[in-house]
Amino acid sequence: MSRILLKAFLGLLMRVLYRPTVEGMERIPGSGPVILAGNHVTFIDSLFLALLVKRQVFFIGKDEYVTGKGLKGRLMAWFFGASGMIPVDRDGGHGGVAALMTGRRVLDEGNIFAIYPEGTRSPDGRLYRGRTGVARLALMTGAPVVPFAMVGTDKVQPSGKGLPRIAPVTVRFGEQLDFSRYEGMDRDRYVLRAVTDEVMSQVMQLSGQEYVDVYATKARASKAA
């Protein structure tokens, strides 16, 4: 019910204000497990994805978003929960494993799991090297991967800015990627890298971003130094 209310109100508001262009929505299967893998340029990406895709989309978020106290904390917990966010402590030593296992559970239940292979938001608008979690999920579960690209959301909520702005947004979904040929090879690091690079290549074509073959976290650290 919470998701229906959120989607009815915010989804309508989003369409009226931003008039987002959605391309390739029909490429998302109407049922069964699906991995949505795309670029990540701003905090608001997940909200656009959750409100525009017809099926419910689940994604990982920091647990601090839902652990606040008081009325504000409860409202934030309701909002993020209704939008499909699953809180995970990603700062801990086992954060990556917890995120991977959460994604596997979502997919095993026949749902959609969205993942940003870069692992964090792009520090400068370019597309960075993907981490192999998306490949592990695809090979462990057999779920198809639908690549997607967010275009323009960085103008809606530029880095360091608070309130969203009005700007055109396009969400593009690519053709399904089937990696069943690699069944049983989810521990082969060469296969994992090949699958991840194939996914990122499709995301790059959809987004039109310049590709940088380093991890975004490393680029962010270098920028801050």
Side-chain angles (χ1 to χ4, degrees):
M1 182 60 71
S2 295
R3 175 179 176 269
I4 294 174
L5 291 174
L6 184 70
K7 200 159 188 174
F9 176 70
L10 277 187
L12 177 61
L13 185 63
M14 177 184 290
R15 292 179 186 279
V16 170
L17 292 177
Y18 296 100
R19 300 187 180 278
T21 299
V22 182
E23 302 173 4
M25 181 74 79
E26 71 282 357
R27 291 166 174 163
I28 301 176
S31 61
V34 183
I35 299 170
L36 298 182
N39 61 336
H40 196 16
V41 292
T42 186
F43 173 80
I44 208 168
D45 291 336
S46 296
L47 184 58
F48 270 92
L49 197 65
L51 293 176
L52 292 175
V53 174
K54 295 176 182 178
R55 293 176 60 189
Q56 181 162 15
V57 176
F58 293 94
F59 57 94
I60 294 296
K62 294 181 180 179
D63 59 351
E64 64 190 60
Y65 293 150
V66 298
T67 55
K69 301 186 182 301
L71 178 60
K72 180 180 178 181
R74 290 195 295 272
L75 287 174
M76 287 183 65
W78 174 85
F79 174 81
F80 285 111
S83 67
M85 191 196 89
I86 301 173
V88 169
D89 180 7
R90 298 184 301 175
D91 296 327
H94 301 287
V97 174
L100 190 67
M101 291 301 99
T102 299
R104 182 173 187 173
R105 174 175 57 80
V106 169
L107 294 167
D108 285 343
E109 292 173 354
N111 297 310
I112 295 180
F113 184 70
I115 186 171
Y116 302 110
E118 292 169 280
T120 187
R121 294 192 291 274
S122 170
D124 55 17
R126 296 185 293 176
L127 185 69
Y128 284 82
R129 194 175 200 229
R131 296 188 177 274
T132 58
V134 62
R136 291 181 186 277
L137 279 177
L139 300 190
M140 285 192 302
T141 65
V145 178
V146 175
F148 71 88
M150 292 287 180
V151 181
T153 51
D154 55 330
K155 303 296 189 299
V156 173
Q157 192 174 44
S159 179
K161 303 296 182 182
L163 294 176
R165 302 173 178 178
I166 303 299
V169 171
T170 299
V171 185
R172 298 191 182 106
F173 296 99
E175 297 286 351
Q176 286 186 50
L177 301 176
D178 177 13
F179 297 109
S180 58
R181 62 189 182 278
Y182 297 123
E183 183 180 0
M185 302 176 71
D186 58 280
R187 294 184 180 274
D188 187 315
R189 63 190 182 97
Y190 296 105
V191 169
L192 294 175
R193 175 46 54 192
V195 169
T196 303
D197 288 347
E198 183 175 341
V199 171
M200 297 309 290
S201 175
Q202 293 301 309
V203 174
M204 180 182 67
Q205 291 182 43
L206 291 167
S207 69
Q209 291 169 282
E210 177 187 348
Y211 179 74
V212 185
D213 195 24
V214 298
Y215 291 119
T217 48
K218 184 176 181 180
R220 189 182 296 278
S222 298
K223 190 176 180 179

